[in-house]
Amino acid sequence: MKPLTYRESGVDIDAGEDAVRRITPLARATNRAEVLAGVGGFASFVRVPAGYREPVLVSSTDGVGTKLKVAFLAGRHDTVGIDLVAMGVNDILVHGAEPLYFLDYIAVGRLDPAQIETVVGGIAAGCRQAGCALVGGEMAEHAGGHAPGEYDLAGFAVGVVERARLIDGAAVRVGDQVLGLASSGLHSNGFTLVRRIVFDVMGLGVFDPLPGMGRSVAETLLEKLLESVEVRAMAHVTGGGLTGNVPRVLPAGCRVRISRSSWSVPPVFEVLRKAGHVDDAEMFRTFNMGIGYVVIVPPAAAETASRLLRDSGERVARLGEVVAGDRGVELVA
Amino acid sequence: MKPLTYRESGVDIDAGEDAVRRITPLARATNRAEVLAGVGGFASFVRVPAGYREPVLVSSTDGVGTKLKVAFLAGRHDTVGIDLVAMGVNDILVHGAEPLYFLDYIAVGRLDPAQIETVVGGIAAGCRQAGCALVGGEMAEHAGGHAPGEYDLAGFAVGVVERARLIDGAAVRVGDQVLGLASSGLHSNGFTLVRRIVFDVMGLGVFDPLPGMGRSVAETLLEKLLESVEVRAMAHVTGGGLTGNVPRVLPAGCRVRISRSSWSVPPVFEVLRKAGHVDDAEMFRTFNMGIGYVVIVPPAAAETASRLLRDSGERVARLGEVVAGDRGVELVA
């Protein structure tokens, strides 16, 4: 019904139209039943999925940060979009929400339709993996704003959760147990649960069909976990490390005491620490130190939750527990 | 409950925390009853407002384009945020939706907390005008990515509308009448209905309290219009002009025939056309030519709609009508 798709802003109109022609089918391929109108028009229309009594919209915005520089250096633009989606979707999954849709923002110095197609191809692949629809985006051309061939990327993810099932950490109590899921090393700092599980654990490629008809592997795993035990909080360990991210989901008066001997920090972090003469606190607030995801459960649920995650192929450590005190993370020997 | 607010990504941590401290109260001041958790945490939580039987989420992403350059040249960073919100909110209003919430993305070369505070102050002011909550954002520091003191801005707006009341142009029929609302000149090309009505028509300042308790003037005007007549489509005339924007809301087989004598193109466009030797079609696909907003109604409703808009202080022109043919805009003498 709508001939134009992506919004254009200060963009070379012919290059913009060429880019739009290339990315429209990529975005369309991500549609889910709730999408009434995706890319095109002034805005996208998405129905709130049926079956929610009190639906809460869970929204996140993210960039891909320094991974963009890696993409520029490597000349590979097909995977930053996957990272972008995964960053946003993981921020939604930690609250127990179902990813619903995604919009992107791409700023370039000069619009190269083929490059846009490659980048958006990655975003669409990420959306298909996460089971969310790519319903819109914006391309901005800022002459002189970016070096030739470089660009900036941001994304906006929306999910939905039944209000009574929203996981926001408010239920965390002193004595709760803290489980850590291993990340696959330095390069996955900021990489995502979705990506890690899909590629590292399950060994699927970007374009492999996913089990579960439009539901991501991560979502399926989380759903199983949430159905089996009471999960009181979850945290995705990105920039800021354990120290920066875990307190975000703790209520006032609760801190997390983590035993450093409860898991093995991958050797790469030790190499980095020595090479950079980085002090310990800085390491823990900068890198994930081998823990990509944290799950907080009541004491009685810790064993079941650990087993369930291990059965799904995760490496799980019992990091420590919730203690009374100022909101924060405390590392003990 | 959550100590950190804005997500940080590759940001100088101390400057980032300073910026977060400055903008948190600005964002909080925009909250509406539906916001369960705004800035802070991994994501924001917003209830779908009560009273919708079949709620549809209407979402848009936008940048502010070249108006950023004007802000840099003028050294004024307090109003680009208002433009950013208005761009996004207008894209939602054209579909008959109620603006609900907004998230922003700010990319800087080097993070200057005072500048961020000024920019986000504008975003928050725009959100208050539009009656939507600023619930999250992302700051990205790309060393070398922007000249000192410069930045990029993008925004994501989400609104909600009852499915049966969604205005998507599907109802447009041959013979429908096309009304144009005057823009206030060149500088408002890409500027917004909200801003134009609030500042130009009503003469309110940025921080003046708005009538209607958190509902914007534009929203109130549109609601009055939508309650009084059947509106079949609306278009916000931004980059792309009448030629680029109106077809977005037309169904297949419908084109709009616009009589050029139905309104007076403001003199500034003639000056520009001559100065730049710009051809006519290019003028119409680049500038709004004095028409900021288009409303399409059935023939029987045209008179009532025009009167209602005029009574609200709008300058309204009967631009032309919907005819059979390829989707597009046709200018006749």
Side-chain angles (χ1 to χ4, degrees):
Chain A
M1 209 208 78
K2 296 181 190 72
L4 287 176
T5 46
Y6 258 56
R7 293 299 312 276
E8 292 146 27
S9 162
V11 160
D12 169 316
I13 292 181
D14 293 327
E17 287 176 356
D18 184 15
V20 163
R21 266 190 301 274
R22 291 165 183 251
I23 64 191
T24 299
L26 300 174
R28 292 252 162 92
T30 67
N31 272 1
R32 16 186 306 162
E34 291 84 359
V35 177
L36 305 178
V39 290
F42 289 97
S44 62
F45 311 143
V46 181
R47 272 195 300 110
V48 174
Y52 286 93
R53 285 193 313 123
E54 211 178 344
V56 172
L57 305 174
V58 178
S59 310
S60 163
T61 177
D62 250 316
V64 279
T66 47
K67 273 195 293 293
L68 274 177
K69 290 208 195 315
V70 178
F72 301 151
L73 285 171
R76 283 205 58 175
H77 306 288
D78 56 337
T79 57
V80 282
I82 298 176
D83 291 326
L84 180 73
V85 175
M87 293 292 289
V89 164
N90 275 356
D91 284 347
I92 284 172
L93 290 174
V94 298
H95 296 298
E98 170 187 6
L100 198 52
Y101 64 93
F102 195 86
L103 295 91
D104 67 82
Y105 173 78
I106 306 180
V108 294
R110 200 179 54 75
L111 200 147
D112 170 353
Q115 187 187 54
I116 295 282
E117 182 180 7
T118 305
V119 171
V120 175
I123 296 172
C127 283
R128 283 191 293 127
Q129 285 170 26
C132 67
L134 175 59
V135 297
E138 165 84 358
M139 295 183 294
E141 195 171 31
H142 298 303
H146 295 274
E150 301 200 349
Y151 49 88
D152 191 23
L153 263 190
F156 169 65
V158 176
V160 63
V161 61
E162 184 63 45
R163 184 168 184 181
R165 299 191 63 185
L166 178 64
I167 298 172
D168 63 358
V172 169
R173 295 291 173 267
V174 169
D176 281 354
Q177 297 297 296
V178 180
L179 310 180
L181 279 63
S183 65
S184 51
L186 176 73
H187 63 278
S188 72
N189 199 6
F191 276 47
T192 74
L193 183 69
V194 172
R195 191 161 184 222
R196 186 166 56 75
I197 292 177
V198 171
F199 297 111
D200 301 345
V201 179
M202 311 227 6
L204 297 179
V206 175
F207 292 101
D208 286 340
L210 283 164
M213 304 286 288
R215 318 210 54 187
S216 73
V217 181
E219 198 185 332
T220 307
L221 168 58
L222 283 176
E223 190 170 295
K224 204 159 84 182
L225 182 68
L226 300 180
E227 274 170 5
S228 309
V229 300
E230 183 194 349
V231 171
R232 292 194 161 159
M234 296 192 282
H236 176 206
V237 184
T238 57
L242 284 164
T243 319
N245 286 287
V246 174
R248 292 177 165 191
V249 294
L250 295 177
C254 283
R255 59 199 277 113
V256 160
R257 181 173 293 151
I258 290 179
S259 163
R260 295 188 50 170
S261 58
S262 63
W263 85 103
S264 304
V265 173
V268 61
F269 294 106
E270 184 56 19
V271 172
L272 264 178
R273 193 186 64 72
K274 281 187 176 152
H277 304 287
V278 185
D279 78 28
D280 216 52
E282 186 68 15
M283 286 298 292
F284 274 89
R285 81 167 187 169
T286 306
F287 300 109
N288 67 38
M289 304 301 274
I291 301 296
Y293 206 82
V294 167
V295 178
I296 301 180
V297 295
E303 205 41 54
T304 307
S306 301
R307 197 183 55 241
L308 204 147
L309 290 164
R310 283 199 190 96
D311 289 351
S312 300
E314 295 292 314
R315 283 184 295 138
V316 183
R318 296 278 291 265
L319 299 182
E321 65 177 2
V322 177
V323 297
D326 287 343
R327 193 193 282 119
V329 168
E330 167 182 325
L331 297 159
V332 297
Chain B
M1 212 208 77
K2 297 182 189 74
L4 288 176
T5 47
Y6 258 55
R7 294 297 313 275
E8 293 146 25
S9 161
V11 160
D12 169 317
I13 292 181
D14 293 329
E17 287 176 356
D18 184 13
V20 163
R21 265 190 302 274
R22 290 165 183 252
I23 63 191
T24 300
L26 301 173
R28 292 253 162 92
T30 67
N31 271 1
R32 17 187 303 163
E34 290 85 359
V35 177
L36 305 178
V39 290
F42 289 98
S44 62
F45 311 142
V46 180
R47 270 194 302 111
V48 174
Y52 286 94
R53 283 193 314 120
E54 211 178 343
V56 172
L57 305 174
V58 178
S59 311
S60 164
T61 176
D62 250 316
V64 279
T66 47
K67 273 195 293 295
L68 274 178
K69 291 209 196 313
V70 179
F72 301 151
L73 286 170
R76 282 205 59 177
H77 307 287
D78 56 339
T79 57
V80 282
I82 297 176
D83 292 325
L84 180 74
V85 175
M87 294 292 289
V89 164
N90 275 356
D91 285 346
I92 285 173
L93 290 174
V94 298
H95 296 297
E98 170 188 5
L100 198 54
Y101 64 93
F102 194 85
L103 295 92
D104 67 82
Y105 173 78
I106 306 179
V108 294
R110 199 179 54 76
L111 201 146
D112 170 354
Q115 188 187 53
I116 296 281
E117 181 179 8
T118 305
V119 172
V120 175
I123 296 172
C127 283
R128 282 190 294 128
Q129 285 170 25
C132 68
L134 175 59
V135 298
E138 166 82 359
M139 296 182 293
E141 196 172 31
H142 298 303
H146 296 274
E150 300 201 350
Y151 50 86
D152 191 24
L153 262 189
F156 302 98
V158 176
V160 63
V161 62
E162 184 64 44
R163 185 168 183 179
R165 300 190 63 185
L166 179 63
I167 298 173
D168 63 358
V172 169
R173 296 290 174 268
V174 169
D176 282 354
Q177 298 297 297
V178 180
L179 310 180
L181 279 64
S183 65
S184 49
L186 176 72
H187 63 278
S188 73
N189 197 6
F191 275 49
T192 77
L193 184 70
V194 172
R195 190 158 188 224
R196 186 167 56 76
I197 294 177
V198 171
F199 297 110
D200 302 345
V201 179
M202 310 226 8
L204 297 179
V206 176
F207 292 102
D208 286 340
L210 283 164
M213 304 286 287
R215 318 211 55 185
S216 73
V217 181
E219 198 185 334
T220 307
L221 168 58
L222 284 176
E223 189 170 295
K224 205 159 82 182
L225 181 68
L226 300 180
E227 275 170 5
S228 308
V229 300
E230 183 193 351
V231 171
R232 293 196 160 157
M234 295 191 284
H236 176 208
V237 184
T238 58
L242 284 164
T243 319
N245 286 287
V246 175
R248 292 178 166 191
V249 294
L250 295 177
C254 283
R255 59 197 280 114
V256 160
R257 182 174 294 151
I258 289 179
S259 162
R260 295 190 50 171
S261 58
S262 62
W263 85 105
S264 305
V265 173
V268 61
F269 295 106
E270 185 55 19
V271 172
L272 264 179
R273 193 187 64 74
K274 282 187 176 151
H277 305 287
V278 185
D279 77 30
D280 217 52
E282 186 68 16
M283 286 299 291
F284 274 89
R285 80 167 189 170
T286 306
F287 300 109
N288 68 40
M289 304 302 273
I291 301 295
Y293 207 81
V294 167
V295 178
I296 301 179
V297 295
E303 206 41 55
T304 309
S306 300
R307 196 181 56 242
L308 205 148
L309 290 164
R310 282 200 190 96
D311 288 351
S312 300
E314 294 292 314
R315 283 184 294 139
V316 183
R318 296 278 292 263
L319 300 182
E321 64 176 0
V322 177
V323 298
D326 287 344
R327 192 194 282 118
V329 168
E330 167 182 324
L331 298 159
V332 297

PDB file of all heavy atoms in Angstrom, chain B residues 225-240:
ATOM      1  N   LEU B 225     -10.862  17.265  15.563  1.00  0.00           N
ATOM      2  CA  LEU B 225     -11.115  17.008  14.142  1.00  0.00           C
ATOM      3  C   LEU B 225     -11.618  15.582  13.932  1.00  0.00           C
ATOM      4  O   LEU B 225     -12.615  15.344  13.244  1.00  0.00           O
ATOM      5  CB  LEU B 225      -9.812  17.236  13.353  1.00  0.00           C
ATOM      6  CG  LEU B 225      -9.879  17.032  11.843  1.00  0.00           C
ATOM      7  CD1 LEU B 225     -10.735  18.105  11.186  1.00  0.00           C
ATOM      8  CD2 LEU B 225      -8.468  17.049  11.235  1.00  0.00           C
ATOM      9  N   LEU B 226     -10.908  14.621  14.548  1.00  0.00           N
ATOM     10  CA  LEU B 226     -11.243  13.210  14.336  1.00  0.00           C
ATOM     11  C   LEU B 226     -12.614  12.857  14.903  1.00  0.00           C
ATOM     12  O   LEU B 226     -13.292  11.960  14.407  1.00  0.00           O
ATOM     13  CB  LEU B 226     -10.168  12.307  14.956  1.00  0.00           C
ATOM     14  CG  LEU B 226      -8.744  12.491  14.401  1.00  0.00           C
ATOM     15  CD1 LEU B 226      -7.773  11.549  15.077  1.00  0.00           C
ATOM     16  CD2 LEU B 226      -8.717  12.290  12.889  1.00  0.00           C
ATOM     17  N   GLU B 227     -13.022  13.572  15.948  1.00  0.00           N
ATOM     18  CA  GLU B 227     -14.333  13.305  16.529  1.00  0.00           C
ATOM     19  C   GLU B 227     -15.458  13.899  15.688  1.00  0.00           C
ATOM     20  O   GLU B 227     -16.587  13.432  15.718  1.00  0.00           O
ATOM     21  CB  GLU B 227     -14.416  13.882  17.944  1.00  0.00           C
ATOM     22  CG  GLU B 227     -13.860  12.926  18.981  1.00  0.00           C
ATOM     23  CD  GLU B 227     -13.729  13.590  20.331  1.00  0.00           C
ATOM     24  OE1 GLU B 227     -14.152  14.750  20.488  1.00  0.00           O
ATOM     25  OE2 GLU B 227     -13.173  12.930  21.233  1.00  0.00           O
ATOM     26  N   SER B 228     -15.133  14.955  14.941  1.00  0.00           N
ATOM     27  CA  SER B 228     -16.178  15.697  14.240  1.00  0.00           C
ATOM     28  C   SER B 228     -16.422  15.196  12.825  1.00  0.00           C
ATOM     29  O   SER B 228     -17.545  15.259  12.330  1.00  0.00           O
ATOM     30  CB  SER B 228     -15.816  17.183  14.187  1.00  0.00           C
ATOM     31  OG  SER B 228     -15.498  17.654  15.474  1.00  0.00           O
ATOM     32  N   VAL B 229     -15.379  14.770  12.142  1.00  0.00           N
ATOM     33  CA  VAL B 229     -15.550  14.327  10.753  1.00  0.00           C
ATOM     34  C   VAL B 229     -14.778  13.025  10.530  1.00  0.00           C
ATOM     35  O   VAL B 229     -13.921  12.660  11.326  1.00  0.00           O
ATOM     36  CB  VAL B 229     -15.016  15.384   9.733  1.00  0.00           C
ATOM     37  CG1 VAL B 229     -15.752  16.709   9.880  1.00  0.00           C
ATOM     38  CG2 VAL B 229     -13.517  15.582   9.878  1.00  0.00           C
ATOM     39  N   GLU B 230     -15.114  12.359   9.437  1.00  0.00           N
ATOM     40  CA  GLU B 230     -14.353  11.165   9.082  1.00  0.00           C
ATOM     41  C   GLU B 230     -13.079  11.601   8.349  1.00  0.00           C
ATOM     42  O   GLU B 230     -13.151  12.149   7.252  1.00  0.00           O
ATOM     43  CB  GLU B 230     -15.178  10.248   8.176  1.00  0.00           C
ATOM     44  CG  GLU B 230     -14.438   8.955   7.839  1.00  0.00           C
ATOM     45  CD  GLU B 230     -15.085   8.177   6.696  1.00  0.00           C
ATOM     46  OE1 GLU B 230     -16.200   8.528   6.262  1.00  0.00           O
ATOM     47  OE2 GLU B 230     -14.452   7.224   6.219  1.00  0.00           O
ATOM     48  N   VAL B 231     -11.936  11.389   8.965  1.00  0.00           N
ATOM     49  CA  VAL B 231     -10.662  11.722   8.321  1.00  0.00           C
ATOM     50  C   VAL B 231     -10.123  10.452   7.680  1.00  0.00           C
ATOM     51  O   VAL B 231      -9.990   9.425   8.342  1.00  0.00           O
ATOM     52  CB  VAL B 231      -9.660  12.282   9.349  1.00  0.00           C
ATOM     53  CG1 VAL B 231      -8.283  12.426   8.728  1.00  0.00           C
ATOM     54  CG2 VAL B 231     -10.143  13.621   9.880  1.00  0.00           C
ATOM     55  N   ARG B 232      -9.859  10.504   6.376  1.00  0.00           N
ATOM     56  CA  ARG B 232      -9.446   9.273   5.690  1.00  0.00           C
ATOM     57  C   ARG B 232      -7.943   9.109   5.601  1.00  0.00           C
ATOM     58  O   ARG B 232      -7.438   7.993   5.492  1.00  0.00           O
ATOM     59  CB  ARG B 232     -10.085   9.239   4.304  1.00  0.00           C
ATOM     60  CG  ARG B 232     -11.603   9.098   4.444  1.00  0.00           C
ATOM     61  CD  ARG B 232     -12.280   8.671   3.186  1.00  0.00           C
ATOM     62  NE  ARG B 232     -13.584   8.126   3.495  1.00  0.00           N
ATOM     63  CZ  ARG B 232     -14.594   8.058   2.633  1.00  0.00           C
ATOM     64  NH1 ARG B 232     -14.434   8.507   1.389  1.00  0.00           N
ATOM     65  NH2 ARG B 232     -15.733   7.535   2.989  1.00  0.00           N
ATOM     66  N   ALA B 233      -7.214  10.198   5.632  1.00  0.00           N
ATOM     67  CA  ALA B 233      -5.751  10.119   5.640  1.00  0.00           C
ATOM     68  C   ALA B 233      -5.198  11.462   6.066  1.00  0.00           C
ATOM     69  O   ALA B 233      -5.856  12.502   5.899  1.00  0.00           O
ATOM     70  CB  ALA B 233      -5.213   9.752   4.264  1.00  0.00           C
ATOM     71  N   MET B 234      -3.992  11.432   6.644  1.00  0.00           N
ATOM     72  CA  MET B 234      -3.288  12.671   6.962  1.00  0.00           C
ATOM     73  C   MET B 234      -1.832  12.476   6.592  1.00  0.00           C
ATOM     74  O   MET B 234      -1.302  11.369   6.631  1.00  0.00           O
ATOM     75  CB  MET B 234      -3.410  12.995   8.450  1.00  0.00           C
ATOM     76  CG  MET B 234      -4.851  13.290   8.879  1.00  0.00           C
ATOM     77  SD  MET B 234      -4.979  13.992  10.545  1.00  0.00           S
ATOM     78  CE  MET B 234      -4.697  12.538  11.559  1.00  0.00           C
ATOM     79  N   ALA B 235      -1.184  13.556   6.212  1.00  0.00           N
ATOM     80  CA  ALA B 235       0.244  13.482   5.889  1.00  0.00           C
ATOM     81  C   ALA B 235       0.935  14.708   6.445  1.00  0.00           C
ATOM     82  O   ALA B 235       0.413  15.819   6.386  1.00  0.00           O
ATOM     83  CB  ALA B 235       0.454  13.394   4.380  1.00  0.00           C
ATOM     84  N   HIS B 236       2.111  14.477   6.976  1.00  0.00           N
ATOM     85  CA  HIS B 236       2.970  15.519   7.515  1.00  0.00           C
ATOM     86  C   HIS B 236       3.970  15.823   6.405  1.00  0.00           C
ATOM     87  O   HIS B 236       4.636  14.921   5.913  1.00  0.00           O
ATOM     88  CB  HIS B 236       3.623  14.934   8.769  1.00  0.00           C
ATOM     89  CG  HIS B 236       4.628  15.805   9.428  1.00  0.00           C
ATOM     90  ND1 HIS B 236       5.671  15.286  10.169  1.00  0.00           N
ATOM     91  CD2 HIS B 236       4.751  17.146   9.473  1.00  0.00           C
ATOM     92  CE1 HIS B 236       6.387  16.284  10.639  1.00  0.00           C
ATOM     93  NE2 HIS B 236       5.857  17.407  10.244  1.00  0.00           N
ATOM     94  N   VAL B 237       4.027  17.063   5.955  1.00  0.00           N
ATOM     95  CA  VAL B 237       4.873  17.383   4.808  1.00  0.00           C
ATOM     96  C   VAL B 237       6.267  17.776   5.287  1.00  0.00           C
ATOM     97  O   VAL B 237       6.486  18.886   5.753  1.00  0.00           O
ATOM     98  CB  VAL B 237       4.240  18.502   3.949  1.00  0.00           C
ATOM     99  CG1 VAL B 237       5.088  18.743   2.702  1.00  0.00           C
ATOM    100  CG2 VAL B 237       2.815  18.124   3.562  1.00  0.00           C
ATOM    101  N   THR B 238       7.200  16.818   5.207  1.00  0.00           N
ATOM    102  CA  THR B 238       8.585  17.065   5.637  1.00  0.00           C
ATOM    103  C   THR B 238       9.484  16.921   4.418  1.00  0.00           C
ATOM    104  O   THR B 238       9.072  17.239   3.307  1.00  0.00           O
ATOM    105  CB  THR B 238       8.978  16.070   6.746  1.00  0.00           C
ATOM    106  OG1 THR B 238       8.821  14.744   6.228  1.00  0.00           O
ATOM    107  CG2 THR B 238       8.098  16.235   7.956  1.00  0.00           C
ATOM    108  N   GLY B 239      10.726  16.465   4.631  1.00  0.00           N
ATOM    109  CA  GLY B 239      11.619  16.239   3.493  1.00  0.00           C
ATOM    110  C   GLY B 239      10.917  15.357   2.467  1.00  0.00           C
ATOM    111  O   GLY B 239      10.361  14.318   2.816  1.00  0.00           O
ATOM    112  N   GLY B 240      10.951  15.763   1.194  1.00  0.00           N
ATOM    113  CA  GLY B 240      10.217  15.028   0.168  1.00  0.00           C
ATOM    114  C   GLY B 240       9.022  15.844  -0.317  1.00  0.00           C
ATOM    115  O   GLY B 240       8.437  15.538  -1.359  1.00  0.00           O
TER     116      GLY B 240
END
